[in-house]
Amino acid sequence: MTKKPEAFAPIGALAAALLAFLPVSATAQEEEYKPQIPEASIYQAMLDANKQTGWIAFRQFMDQELIYFTTLQTMHCRLSEIRYSINSETLDKRFPVAKCDPQLPFNLPDDPTNETLYLKLKPGEAKTIAIQVVWDDGNGSEIVVYKPCQNAEATCAQIKTILKPTKMKTEPAPATPTR
């Protein structure tokens, strides 16, 4: 029978004590993955990149004018509001923002009613549409006024003007005077 040298006994005890304080890597600890919404800067870059081609798009279809908000809805996880107005710059209306699914933060919402995808108007009713988005931190974008493309067969929009807001509005201005 072979006997271990006594000189190594303290080293073994020291190693066991140190191992008790180190994280255990042999047995990986499970941590449930929680999807996170991408950084706000990514959404701001998307908004900026889509400004020229249109945050919205006009389409004449089956004797109606449709105004699509699909580009903005891809950013719905970081938006708190979409403000707009037809043929003015009052921003007196709100377009519904789809509910965010953090697992699919850029996907268009499943919306059989299409109420989060487009507006329906009479043909030629909208000469312009002013748009401003409000981020989830309360900051508002610039206000971009779009007009329908001239002689376009496709869905599109052109920038008419870009306005810098002087102050954020917290509530929409009434569309008609109240008494």
Side-chain angles (χ1 to χ4, degrees):
M1 181 163 152
T2 313
K3 189 175 177 186
K4 289 185 182 178
E6 297 293 326
F8 291 106
I11 294 174
L14 178 61
L18 285 174
L19 286 175
F21 289 104
L22 294 177
V24 179
S25 59
T27 58
Q29 295 179 0
E30 269 189 43
E31 189 174 318
E32 188 174 329
Y33 171 73
K34 291 185 171 87
Q36 294 185 1
I37 300 169
E39 294 294 320
S41 60
I42 293 171
Y43 289 86
Q44 181 64 53
M46 289 171 60
L47 188 72
D48 292 342
N50 285 295
K51 182 180 2 179
Q52 197 67 34
T53 55
W55 293 346
I56 54 87
F58 295 88
R59 180 179 183 200
Q60 300 298 320
F61 182 72
M62 295 182 65
D63 202 32
Q64 55 190 344
E65 182 173 39
L66 304 178
I67 300 177
Y68 287 92
F69 285 73
T70 48
T71 298
L72 294 178
Q73 287 295 4
T74 62
M75 299 173 226
H76 66 279
C77 281
R78 287 283 180 192
L79 296 179
S80 66
E81 280 188 316
I82 300 173
R83 299 172 176 178
Y84 75 97
S85 53
I86 305 293
N87 301 327
S88 76
E89 297 164 2
T90 59
L91 301 173
D92 59 344
K93 295 178 176 47
R94 301 295 180 263
F95 194 79
V97 177
K99 185 177 181 216
C100 177
D101 179 355
Q103 293 182 11
L104 303 167
F106 299 111
N107 281 21
L108 288 176
D110 180 25
D111 182 4
T113 66
N114 294 319
E115 77 172 6
T116 61
L117 299 179
Y118 59 81
L119 290 172
K120 286 185 197 177
L121 302 172
K122 295 175 191 163
E125 183 177 342
K127 306 294 184 234
T128 63
I129 182 169
I131 301 285
Q132 180 185 45
V133 300
V134 179
W135 300 105
D136 57 357
D137 67 1
N139 287 317
S141 70
E142 61 197 351
I143 301 163
V144 181
V145 180
Y146 290 98
K147 62 182 181 177
C149 296
Q150 296 298 317
N151 303 319
E153 296 293 322
T155 304
C156 70
Q158 293 178 316
I159 294 177
K160 181 181 177 216
T161 55
I162 298 174
L163 309 168
K164 303 290 183 196
T166 54
K167 158 180 133 173
M168 281 296 298
K169 295 181 181 180
T170 55
E171 291 297 318
T176 55
T178 56
R179 295 182 191 207

